[in-house]
Amino acid sequence: MVLFRKKKESGDISRIIQLTIIEGNNDTGDPPGKVFNLQSGNNFIGRDPLCEIVLNSGTVSRRHANLKVSYDKQKFLMIDLGSFNGVIIMPSTVIKKGKKSINSGDEVQIGEILLKLLALDQDEQLQTMGVDVQDILKQTKEKAPGSK
């Protein structure tokens, strides 16, 4: 048995961007483990039902922040939209009416809700494939000139 891995070409990776509640509030419907899938562009965070990430806690402003995801899903920018509490990039960076680049794996606090940003690469082109060498040799012999 031989294992082959297909060569990666640019643009083969599809990326899933998620914001997961690490510490939430079950009473407001923001339980730990709740996952929000993000899209490229603007992802508004707040209590407003029109936001992409709706957090129901009273410590979250109606339009608290915007998490901008670049179109190639490689860069992330957290923007505070003038919220009362600001946005905390853990462990201690506070953004008030400002913006800051963040990375996959960073934790962000919006009001009382602690969230974690994760970028997951889904590269189907790099899946390992098993090939039985005996089958290949058999097929080669059958196709060879002069074989029966």
Side-chain angles (χ1 to χ4, degrees):
M1 177 80 58
V2 176
L3 298 177
F4 291 97
R5 190 171 288 259
K6 192 172 183 181
K7 184 179 177 184
K8 178 177 139 183
E9 297 176 19
S10 64
D12 281 350
I13 297 174
S14 67
R15 218 162 204 225
I16 296 173
I17 311 301
Q18 295 180 330
L19 200 58
T20 303
I21 297 177
I22 304 298
E23 293 177 16
N25 184 336
N26 287 325
D27 294 338
T28 62
D30 303 315
K34 186 174 184 179
V35 176
F36 301 94
N37 290 313
L38 308 179
Q39 301 299 319
S40 297
N42 295 315
N43 294 276
F44 290 99
I45 304 168
R47 284 183 295 128
D48 190 325
L50 297 176
C51 289
E52 284 76 14
I53 298 110
V54 177
L55 301 173
N56 297 305
S57 170
T59 60
V60 176
S61 298
R62 287 185 60 74
R63 286 180 50 113
H64 198 106
N66 180 13
L67 179 53
K68 280 189 151 185
V69 177
S70 66
Y71 287 99
D72 63 1
K73 297 183 179 179
Q74 299 292 323
K75 296 177 185 170
F76 313 100
L77 185 66
M78 180 62 74
I79 303 166
D80 178 66
L81 300 175
S83 65
F84 184 77
N85 297 317
V87 176
I88 301 171
I89 310 296
M90 301 310 274
S92 60
T93 303
V94 179
I95 305 169
K96 280 202 166 198
K97 295 183 183 176
K99 55 188 171 184
K100 183 171 183 356
S101 292
I102 62 173
N103 299 306
S104 177
D106 284 353
E107 293 182 355
V108 177
Q109 187 168 342
I110 307 282
E112 68 179 331
I113 311 295
L114 182 63
L115 303 139
K116 185 169 192 164
L117 177 69
L118 285 176
L120 308 167
D121 291 332
Q122 302 293 311
D123 192 349
E124 296 178 14
Q125 303 300 324
L126 291 180
Q127 292 178 351
T128 303
M129 174 178 68
V131 176
D132 188 346
V133 175
Q134 297 302 320
D135 284 344
I136 292 174
L137 290 173
K138 183 178 174 185
Q139 290 173 7
T140 305
K141 285 181 184 177
E142 288 174 357
K143 292 181 181 178
S147 63
K148 293 184 178 181

